[in-house]
Amino acid sequence: MRPRARLVQLSREAPPEQLRLSPVVAETVARSTAAGGEPAVIIRHQPAHVLLGPQDRRLPRLYEAVHWLESLGYPVLMLLGGGSAVLLDGHCLSFGVTRPCRDFTQWEKNFREMAWGAILGLRQLGIPAEFGRAEGSYCEGPFDLVANGQKIAGIAQTIRGGYALVSGMVLWDQDPMATTALIQEFYERAGSDLRLRPEAVTALVRLPGQSRLTLESLEAHLIQGFRELYDLVEHPLEPAEWALAESLYHTRIVQPTPMSTTPSAG
């Protein structure tokens, strides 16, 4: 019998004030999961923004690089878990899965079980998705989703506050060359010698037979993939959760400070 899970969807037609908070919606739901004990699946769209990982805090010229991203119109926020810089926008679709967890030894199991619904949904589309590492990709991780050796989705995890949250961004038609170039320049401006390989990343529509894949079809198949694992019950964010999301957003947003001081995430 499939376990019951809450389904939270944030559509691209959502009010602008809700879409602005998209980067922290999964964390908001995860906190409710920890309090209520019920797993949840989150499928969300988002306006363009850049997420940074904890290790990026130590970049010698982080302030200058963040200021540059903001000048291009990209708000910059800090990831909850591991990982490094990544661009999210309307050309990708984000998902999250959360469940109660306090055991850090479940780290690998969480990745494999909680992101499995995304693999199922992509395989329904005929995409040979699997866990893997695409060396040289931006925000490279061992449990990213790859197809034919190229990264098609980034996956991250955090365990804190009584919950585990596995989050992912599926690259629908985002330009891998332009995105990699943006992130590469961010790191150069921030004083890093990291070198990225744009050919390590691709978008779903660039895969064989997927050129006509729509964002609506991708979203429907992702949800169906998770329905194979969970009895999903739609439960949008409640007013108190939106208020929490507003608070979390101000905590996660990177607030540039004068160059003589260290940038913070709130």
Side-chain angles (χ1 to χ4, degrees), residues 141-186:
F143 288 95
D144 287 338
L145 302 188
V146 298
N148 305 322
Q150 292 179 293
K151 178 173 181 168
I152 56 172
I155 310 289
Q157 179 181 175
T158 185
I159 300 176
R160 60 186 295 172
Y163 64 80
L165 172 61
V166 172
S167 301
M169 51 163 280
V170 182
L171 304 173
W172 169 50
D173 72 345
Q174 192 182 78
D175 184 340
M177 298 291 291
T179 300
T180 301
L182 177 81
I183 297 172
Q184 182 70 75
E185 184 165 354
F186 161 78

Side-chain angles (χ1 to χ4, degrees), residues 7-90:
L7 174 62
V8 177
Q9 292 179 261
L10 183 61
S11 77
R12 56 181 172 177
E13 287 78 34
E17 61 271 19
Q18 293 184 358
L19 279 174
R20 179 179 64 88
L21 299 176
S22 177
V24 295
V25 162
E27 181 184 358
T28 300
V29 175
R31 292 190 178 208
S32 295
T33 290
E38 183 175 75
V41 174
I42 305 101
I43 305 290
R44 62 182 180 85
H45 297 258
Q46 64 272 309
H49 65 282
V50 171
L51 289 179
L52 304 181
Q55 65 190 31
D56 294 327
R57 290 177 181 270
R58 299 190 292 272
L59 292 169
R61 297 195 297 274
L62 177 58
Y63 168 76
E64 298 173 52
V66 168
H67 181 76
W68 173 71
L69 286 172
E70 291 185 335
S71 74
L72 298 177
Y74 297 115
V76 182
L77 296 93
M78 279 289 175
L79 280 162
L80 263 183
S84 54
V86 61
L87 168 67
L88 295 93
D89 58 17

Side-chain angles (χ1 to χ4, degrees), residues 12-255:
R12 56 181 172 177
E13 287 78 34
E17 61 271 19
Q18 293 184 358
L19 279 174
R20 179 179 64 88
L21 299 176
S22 177
V24 295
V25 162
E27 181 184 358
T28 300
V29 175
R31 292 190 178 208
S32 295
T33 290
E38 183 175 75
V41 174
I42 305 101
I43 305 290
R44 62 182 180 85
H45 297 258
Q46 64 272 309
H49 65 282
V50 171
L51 289 179
L52 304 181
Q55 65 190 31
D56 294 327
R57 290 177 181 270
R58 299 190 292 272
L59 292 169
R61 297 195 297 274
L62 177 58
Y63 168 76
E64 298 173 52
V66 168
H67 181 76
W68 173 71
L69 286 172
E70 291 185 335
S71 74
L72 298 177
Y74 297 115
V76 182
L77 296 93
M78 279 289 175
L79 280 162
L80 263 183
S84 54
V86 61
L87 168 67
L88 295 93
D89 58 17
H91 300 280
C92 56
L93 182 64
S94 296
F95 71 89
V97 183
T98 182
R99 66 187 182 192
C101 179
R102 295 183 180 275
D103 185 354
F104 287 87
T105 67
Q106 299 293 305
W107 184 81
E108 181 172 343
K109 180 181 180 183
N110 287 342
F111 269 122
R112 295 191 182 279
E113 292 185 354
M114 296 169 70
W116 186 245
I119 289 181
L120 292 176
L122 291 171
R123 288 181 178 177
Q124 290 171 6
L125 286 165
I127 296 169
E130 59 184 355
F131 292 115
R133 180 189 290 274
E135 293 187 4
S137 62
Y138 56 82
C139 199
E140 178 185 329
F143 288 95
D144 287 338
L145 302 188
V146 298
N148 305 322
Q150 292 179 293
K151 178 173 181 168
I152 56 172
I155 310 289
Q157 179 181 175
T158 185
I159 300 176
R160 60 186 295 172
Y163 64 80
L165 172 61
V166 172
S167 301
M169 51 163 280
V170 182
L171 304 173
W172 169 50
D173 72 345
Q174 192 182 78
D175 184 340
M177 298 291 291
T179 300
T180 301
L182 177 81
I183 297 172
Q184 182 70 75
E185 184 165 354
F186 161 78
Y187 277 116
E188 290 173 1
R189 288 173 176 268
S192 170
D193 59 2
L194 178 68
R195 288 296 174 263
L196 303 173
R197 297 174 53 244
E199 64 272 18
V201 184
T202 193
L204 298 185
V205 297
R206 295 172 179 243
L207 296 174
Q210 301 297 328
S211 61
R212 296 186 178 182
L213 176 65
T214 65
L215 191 56
E216 290 76 15
S217 180
L218 172 60
E219 183 169 8
H221 280 84
L222 278 185
I223 293 173
Q224 185 56 39
F226 283 108
R227 285 195 188 280
E228 292 191 26
L229 305 177
Y230 301 100
D231 176 17
L232 295 179
V233 179
E234 293 188 28
H235 184 169
L237 261 65
E238 298 176 356
E241 291 175 312
W242 283 117
L244 174 59
E246 184 71 50
S247 176
L248 289 174
Y249 185 88
H250 290 288
T251 299
R252 301 288 169 237
I253 193 80
V254 176
Q255 300 291 348

